[in-house]
Amino acid sequence: FPRGGSDITGSLAAAALHADVYENWTDVPGILAADPKIVKRPAPIETLSYPELQLLSAAGTQVLHESAVAPVRERQIPLHIRSTRIGFDAPASLSASGVIGFAGRRPVSMLRVIFPENTEETALWEVRACLNEHRVETFHSACGVEGLCLLLSSGAEADALHAAAEQLREHFSGAQVKLRENLAVLLALCRSTKDIPKLSAAIEASGAPVHHLVQTPPGAMFCVNDSQYEQALRAAYGAAFA
């Protein structure tokens, strides 16, 4: 079976055709609740659902590539990653606060387009088309009363980000286009929103301001300065698992 955290989409697809259980053996004892390079001895996650695993992978967990989960998920085949079991109905192991674990994506940029009036539905597509033209990848977008907020992957060059922002300023006359760089996304995976204010308060108390908060069940994404990501993670982990 494949080892390590590489993209194993092809192997998973082949195994899913005939397997009752797919096992992936890695050099770590399963999926941990936080990055062990930042948090000392993080708790192991015993069980996850496929949507939870895909959310963790999209946010930065390196055990499996996000697209590699699709073949076994489609055939509803249980997936074992060392000590972590992934399935559809497996209850996730929770801390006392109800938090399952944390993952991070860094660095990222945040683009806000604030309109003088309510946002039109077509505006998001126009913004995304502009970003695609400049080869800027969007991994999350939201449309609110005031306007749009998009989280952008770190792969884009700074010149491309600034060129896209300037083009949007010209296209949307009267709108405010604000680009913020050198951020990080801290994902808290949890099955309840009741502890999100507690996590946010712990992050803020550590000295890392939360610039943007997105609730994306089963979790929440906190945008913090990339330079303060590690202290934010330690603070959030302590609030959830202490």
Side-chain angles (χ1 to χ4, degrees):
F1 291 100
R3 300 176 182 271
S6 59
D7 186 347
I8 56 172
T9 307
S11 299
L12 279 168
L17 293 174
H18 306 289
D20 295 320
V21 175
Y22 182 86
E23 293 183 326
N24 186 64
W25 291 87
T26 72
D27 53 1
V28 295
I31 300 176
L32 302 176
D35 186 344
K37 295 179 181 178
I38 300 174
V39 175
K40 293 183 179 179
R41 296 182 292 278
I45 299 176
E46 296 177 1
T47 56
L48 283 173
S49 68
Y50 283 116
E52 289 166 344
L53 175 62
Q54 287 189 301
L55 184 59
L56 283 175
S57 297
T61 300
Q62 299 297 316
V63 177
L64 284 180
H65 190 280
E66 180 184 7
S67 62
V69 184
V72 288
R73 179 181 181 180
E74 289 173 0
R75 293 170 176 80
Q76 301 188 28
I77 296 170
L79 171 62
H80 288 181
I81 302 177
R82 287 294 293 271
S83 61
T84 304
R85 182 182 185 277
I86 293 92
F88 278 91
D89 301 319
S93 55
L94 303 175
S95 70
S97 66
V99 179
I100 300 168
F102 297 91
R105 187 163 185 159
R106 56 189 300 206
V108 301
S109 299
M110 180 170 63
L111 178 69
R112 287 185 181 273
V113 184
I114 303 173
F115 299 91
E117 299 178 355
N118 288 344
T119 306
E120 298 180 3
E121 293 183 1
T122 58
L124 178 58
W125 298 104
E126 294 177 71
V127 171
R128 292 180 71 99
C130 175
L131 294 172
N132 288 337
E133 179 183 339
H134 291 275
R135 298 184 179 182
V136 177
E137 179 189 356
T138 302
F139 70 88
H140 184 272
S141 59
C143 180
V145 176
E146 290 187 342
L148 309 174
C149 182
L150 300 95
L151 300 179
L152 313 175
S153 297
S154 59
E157 296 292 336
D159 289 346
L161 286 172
H162 291 280
E166 187 59 34
Q167 183 174 328
L168 290 171
R169 291 187 183 98
E170 295 175 0
H171 181 74
F172 294 109
S173 178
Q176 298 180 50
V177 178
K178 301 180 179 180
L179 178 65
R180 188 156 197 162
E181 300 173 82
N182 300 315
L183 298 177
V185 168
L186 173 60
L187 170 73
L189 187 62
C190 47
R191 290 191 169 178
S192 170
T193 60
K194 66 182 180 66
D195 291 296
I196 293 175
K198 176 182 177 180
L199 298 178
S200 182
I203 294 171
E204 292 271 3
S206 76
V210 177
H211 299 296
H212 187 58
L213 171 60
V214 182
Q215 295 190 29
T216 56
M221 293 190 295
F222 302 88
C223 287
V224 299
N225 296 325
D226 184 56
S227 61
Q228 297 174 308
Y229 171 79
E230 294 187 5
Q231 70 191 64
L233 172 55
R234 293 189 188 101
Y237 183 90
F241 287 87

